[in-house]
Amino acid sequence: MVAVAQHPNITLYSYSEVERVTGYIGNFTVTIREKAKYVDHDDCTGCGLCETKCPEKVKSEFDLGLGIRPAIYKPFAQAVPNKPVIDAANCRKLINGKCGVCEKICPVKAIRYDDQDRVFQEEVGAIVMATGYDLFPWEEAYGEYGYGRYPDVISGLHFERMVNASGPTGGKIKRPSDGKIPQDVAFIKCVGSRDDTKGKSYCSRTCCMYTAKHASQVMEKIPDGQAYVFYMDVRTAGKGYEEFYLRSVDQGAQYIRGRVSKIYPRGDRLVIKSEDTLLGKPIEVEVDLVVLATAMVPSAGSAEIAKIVGFSVDKDGFYQEAHPKLQPMETFTAGVFLAGACQGPRDIPDTVAQASGAAVKVAALLNKSELATEPMVANVDQSKCTGCEFCVPVCPYQAISMIPKKERAHGQVVERQVAHINKGLCQGCGACVAACRPCALDLDGYTGDQIVAEVDALCL
Amino acid sequence: MKRIGVFVCGCGTNIASTVDVDRVAEVASVMPSVVFSTSYKYMCSDPGQEQIKKAAEEHNLNRVIVASCSPRMHENTFRKAMSGAGLNPYMFEMVNIREQVSWVHSNKDEATQKAIDLIRMAVAKVERNKPLQVTTIPVTKKALVIGGGIAGMQAAIDIAETGHQVILVERSTTIGGKMAQLDKTFPTMDCSA
Amino acid sequence: MSVEATKAWTPKIVAFACNWCSYAGADLAGSNRLQYPPNVRIIRVPCSGRIDPLFVLRAFKSGADGVLVSG
């Protein structure tokens, strides 16, 4: 992460979103909105004093609500950039003007309550989409797991925050309900994955492995602890993965093949009803904590940004690659590439490999001083053009403009306006051709003459 | 004089098992302006492309039709082969008899007839093709990466290392994405941040 | 009185498919080996915007029984 911030060739805009993309391969114009941070990052030294003195405390999104943060905050201690922003929705000063503690306490006077969003444009030649994933909202779909009513039924990412040494519990596995260390922990795989009725039909690929990791962490970190893993299949396709899974089994994690049908409380513990399909018997296990391996879904807002940049998504909302085998990091839009889980569920090694692949595609493009363009573009027969300008608003690429044309008529030189096509901007869609009433426009490669000939040949 | 060469691909058995490619080539040979037609196992292979070159020379072809897979797959391959044969790459039409014929139909007679009809259509079109010239546009030597998780960071660093400028846009206040939230990661159990 | 369907006759359908969506969709149908009747013939166009209404009329005039415009 620090390598990104320090690289001389990388300009990082955090707390920013892409609002508009125009242009085409090699020549995109991107409009970026940098949200108001209310802290001048040029002056701020990142000392963190403001964070300790801020009186407002809200649930930390980074810790998935397991911890709290102030209204002026960095999501975590090693954040990059390592400087805070003010969360305007929760800042007392910005809500009702009463407070201003951070401004008083800041030793370098970096607080700017009057900060505004900054909107600016950048010119780029290529775009890499790396918008990642979110977790499937299981609380809305799985009534048998309590619709999120039981605090001790958590997702794998909650578990990650807990076992993380810099997380809200300092690396201790604790029950969210009472803070007790759990003895028996159940893991349920394929929650939302491989479930056509309530979730997604696809396999999320990473859950088998991280569940093996979680189970082994339970066995390591909790003395006398026991991990139970409820699974449909164990899928460990990856270098060193099968060995890793077997290590968790050797450590004592108990794998039970079966779908959990119900979770319900008994005392302060949770009862899991399932079937052991290898024994062919219904079983019941009482545990202290349940961790769900939830499906990966495209990140919130990913469909909107796809529309802004201008490429398509698949049936599950993941970004559509140009070809699943031969062009996995390209889209159907030239100059737009894909990296990571925005294209489909994948783990870190695969993500890194795909990101490096996308980078090579970008480098190959940027290494060219100029690009060859498709010659199948519209052209104007200016002698036929009446200058009606019907084609101008029809063009989705703003490739048509009107230019003056001088010609002789009845012994005089007259000037009139005719359409002109910018061949760099024209993408050859032919919408203008269909709109042109005097038939002055035609599309090379798909001329009216050619298409009519095709129609006739077919209908013979 | 319009002189069209028609090349029908069997794609191993992908096409040949449902479409009678020899018969298609035979029927195509008597279509208007067609002076040469043949079928071959794999048109996209080097020997396949070599056939286009050879036939172009021997039969003085000035237009070529390849009936094989989707043009979305191999149109560029054959355009390059056209250039290699000394022909304008846009004096070429591709007929999709795999994705839109052999893979979606099972009756061999009907599939063969459809392939023939589609080639007749392409003959009518390619007769009216004009040589087109490729033009060039400049390239802005800068990349935009949207998203600052592990994927975006890796892509940004790798592009930056090739010497190009990169703009990395991240919507949250820090880069790192989901990965920064994780503890140790499998299978090596090293720290993720 | 019963009318027996003549098996000999099938409608001749001309489909105009956009290269970037419907044509790609037809390719995808192929990749997934989805079967459909062979009496549809696809004409590839760069965009459904290219389709002049005259093309549709021309198809009917030349003997098509149905025209599908998709994009």
Side-chain angles (χ1 to χ4, degrees):
Chain A
M1 285 166 61
V2 178
V4 172
Q6 290 176 345
H7 203 291
N9 287 348
I10 300 178
T11 310
L12 170 62
Y13 295 116
S14 63
Y15 216 31
S16 302
E17 292 194 36
V18 170
E19 284 205 326
R20 198 172 133 80
V21 175
T22 57
Y24 50 95
I25 181 169
N27 301 275
F28 293 105
T29 302
V30 183
T31 308
I32 300 169
R33 176 181 294 268
E34 190 174 28
K35 287 172 268 188
K37 296 172 173 167
Y38 306 101
V39 177
D40 187 328
H41 278 199
D42 291 334
D43 292 346
C44 173
T45 60
C47 71
L49 195 58
C50 52
E51 296 179 68
T52 61
K53 299 294 181 193
C54 177
E56 187 63 36
K57 296 281 184 281
V58 295
K59 281 189 172 175
S60 157
E61 299 87 355
F62 189 78
D63 288 331
L64 306 165
L66 292 170
I68 52 164
R69 64 160 174 87
I72 182 166
Y73 74 108
K74 298 186 290 254
F76 61 108
Q78 297 79 25
V80 176
N82 202 246
K83 291 170 183 179
V85 300
I86 294 178
D87 165 14
N90 289 298
C91 170
R92 293 181 189 181
K93 177 76 178 180
L94 290 172
I95 292 169
N96 57 23
K98 290 177 193 150
C99 184
V101 169
C102 49
E103 186 179 37
K104 280 174 217 141
I105 206 143
C106 178
V108 291
K109 303 281 166 242
I111 307 294
R112 306 274 183 276
Y113 294 123
D114 59 352
D115 197 11
Q116 299 284 327
D117 287 7
R118 190 167 72 90
V119 179
F120 56 98
Q121 289 193 331
E122 289 275 1
E123 306 285 330
V124 297
I127 300 176
V128 178
M129 301 303 298
T131 52
Y133 69 98
D134 269 332
L135 294 184
F136 175 75
W138 68 274
E139 298 91 339
E140 293 160 19
Y142 283 86
E144 62 266 46
Y145 302 162
Y147 286 128
R149 270 178 302 153
Y150 311 131
D152 294 334
V153 179
I154 62 174
S155 77
L157 201 55
H158 286 93
F159 189 88
E160 289 285 347
R161 293 310 301 146
M162 282 202 285
V163 283
N164 193 315
S166 56
T169 58
K172 286 213 163 61
I173 302 167
K174 288 180 179 173
R175 283 156 48 104
S177 62
D178 52 13
K180 278 190 202 155
I181 309 273
Q183 281 302 302
D184 300 307
V185 182
F187 295 90
I188 304 176
K189 295 208 276 192
C190 299
V191 178
S193 310
R194 304 177 67 199
D195 186 347
D196 270 334
T197 51
K198 290 188 171 165
K200 307 290 175 183
S201 53
Y202 55 82
C203 163
S204 293
R205 283 183 65 178
T206 59
C207 336
C208 278
M209 290 306 294
Y210 73 65
T211 301
K213 182 193 79 171
H214 291 168
S216 103
Q217 282 172 321
V218 164
M219 303 305 290
E220 269 168 23
K221 290 199 166 198
I222 304 174
D224 303 324
Q226 179 60 52
Y228 300 93
V229 181
F230 293 87
Y231 70 100
M232 286 160 66
D233 292 293
V234 179
R235 296 182 168 179
T236 57
K239 192 170 174 175
Y241 286 15
E242 179 71 9
E243 295 89 327
F244 184 89
Y245 150 66
L246 289 175
R247 208 183 315 152
S248 80
V249 174
D250 286 344
Q251 282 174 313
Q254 202 179 327
Y255 275 69
I256 301 162
R257 187 166 181 276
R259 289 291 279 172
V260 173
S261 60
K262 196 172 171 61
I263 300 172
Y264 60 94
R266 179 182 293 162
D268 68 343
R269 305 188 86 196
L270 292 160
V271 179
I272 292 186
K273 279 179 90 79
S274 177
E275 185 192 12
D276 188 325
T277 57
L278 299 182
L279 294 175
K281 276 186 183 166
I283 58 164
E284 211 180 89
V285 183
E286 209 174 286
V287 297
D288 303 297
L289 182 68
V290 180
V291 183
L292 307 178
T294 42
M296 273 190 187
V297 294
S299 68
S302 61
E304 288 76 10
I305 188 79
K307 203 173 268 178
I308 288 169
V309 178
F311 61 93
S312 46
V313 302
D314 67 18
K315 71 176 174 41
D316 295 307
F318 287 110
Y319 293 163
Q320 179 69 51
E321 66 284 341
H323 190 281
K325 277 181 288 188
L326 304 177
Q327 293 166 294
M329 31 230 161
E330 289 160 71
T331 63
F332 287 125
T333 304
V336 179
F337 303 93
L338 305 176
C342 61
Q343 188 231 333
R346 59 175 44 93
D347 60 12
I348 295 174
D350 285 3
T351 295
V352 169
Q354 196 193 16
S356 293
V360 170
K361 294 277 176 193
V362 170
L365 170 60
L366 300 188
N367 277 342
K368 292 178 184 153
S369 52
E370 47 186 23
L371 278 177
T373 59
E374 268 295 319
M376 292 189 175
V377 292
N379 62 59
V380 190
D381 180 345
Q382 292 184 337
S383 64
K384 283 189 191 166
C385 176
T386 59
C388 72
E389 300 189 19
F390 260 40
C391 52
V392 178
V394 165
C395 177
Y397 309 101
Q398 286 89 45
I400 307 178
S401 54
M402 301 305 287
I403 56 164
K405 178 180 164 67
K406 280 196 177 116
E407 52 191 27
R408 298 181 72 84
H410 306 294
Q412 289 178 330
V413 175
V414 291
E415 194 180 282
R416 62 192 186 92
Q417 296 288 310
V418 291
H420 169 78
I421 312 269
N422 179 332
K423 308 233 165 184
L425 288 172
C426 177
Q427 298 294 296
C429 75
C432 57
V433 182
C436 182
R437 294 198 288 191
C439 296
L441 286 158
D442 212 342
L443 184 66
D444 285 338
Y446 292 98
T447 61
D449 185 33
Q450 284 175 310
I451 297 177
V452 165
E454 285 184 287
V455 169
D456 287 350
L458 272 191
C459 296
L460 270 180
Chain B
M1 257 305 267
K2 288 159 189 169
R3 298 181 66 82
I4 305 174
V6 178
F7 301 82
V8 185
C9 179
C11 194
T13 57
N14 271 310
I15 294 168
S17 63
T18 326
V19 173
D20 183 345
V21 289
D22 293 332
R23 183 170 146 63
V24 171
E26 193 190 312
V27 175
S29 69
V30 296
M31 287 181 189
S33 307
V34 174
V35 294
F36 176 77
S37 86
T38 186
S39 63
Y40 187 67
K41 240 180 184 27
Y42 290 107
M43 277 312 296
C44 59
S45 67
D46 279 343
Q49 296 184 44
E50 197 54 41
Q51 286 209 6
I52 297 178
K53 211 169 167 178
K54 207 166 132 249
E57 252 171 52
E58 284 175 9
H59 300 273
N60 199 19
L61 302 180
N62 51 26
R63 286 162 169 79
V64 169
I65 291 171
V66 174
S68 57
C69 51
S70 171
R72 297 171 58 83
M73 183 106 179
H74 273 310
E75 196 164 47
N76 275 334
T77 311
F78 292 118
R79 287 239 165 95
K80 279 181 194 144
M82 289 290 285
S83 300
L87 298 173
N88 182 287
Y90 294 89
M91 300 300 271
F92 165 76
E93 286 298 324
M94 212 164 157
V95 182
N96 188 342
I97 59 167
R98 192 179 75 172
E99 280 85 347
Q100 295 181 10
V101 179
S102 73
W103 280 355
V104 288
H105 307 313
S106 43
N107 181 315
K108 197 161 182 172
D109 289 340
E110 288 176 337
T112 304
Q113 187 52 47
K114 181 172 175 184
I116 290 167
D117 285 357
L118 292 177
I119 289 175
R120 185 179 304 114
M121 172 175 96
V123 168
K125 185 178 185 195
V126 83
E127 279 189 301
R128 289 160 177 83
N129 277 21
K130 292 187 194 77
L132 301 175
Q133 303 305 326
V134 169
T135 51
T136 56
I137 48 168
V139 177
T140 309
K141 293 185 174 297
K142 199 189 249 190
L144 166 71
V145 177
I146 303 179
I150 176 70
M153 291 192 297
Q154 185 71 43
I157 288 177
D158 286 346
I159 296 167
E161 282 294 308
T162 65
H164 296 294
Q165 292 292 314
V166 182
I167 297 166
L168 178 59
V169 174
E170 164 57 46
R171 70 177 164 190
S172 79
T173 62
T174 177
I175 53 171
K178 288 276 184 301
M179 190 203 61
Q181 291 173 281
L182 306 182
D183 184 41
K184 298 163 182 166
T185 52
F186 64 81
T188 51
M189 293 300 263
D190 41 14
C191 128
S192 61
Chain C
M1 201 178 84
S2 69
V3 179
E4 263 191 46
T6 42
K7 277 191 182 150
W9 185 81
T10 48
K12 191 176 279 180
I13 300 168
V14 174
F16 292 97
C18 161
N19 180 48
W20 308 104
C21 55
S22 317
Y23 193 89
D27 279 356
L28 196 61
S31 304
N32 291 332
R33 308 297 194 275
L34 303 177
Q35 301 288 306
Y36 56 84
N39 55 329
V40 56
R41 307 278 190 263
I42 294 176
I43 297 180
R44 182 163 77 133
V45 289
C47 169
S48 46
R50 174 67 188 90
I51 299 162
D52 197 309
L54 286 172
F55 298 159
V56 180
L57 297 176
R58 180 72 174 222
F60 284 125
K61 179 171 168 270
S62 301
D65 300 300
V67 175
L68 174 69
V69 173
S70 180

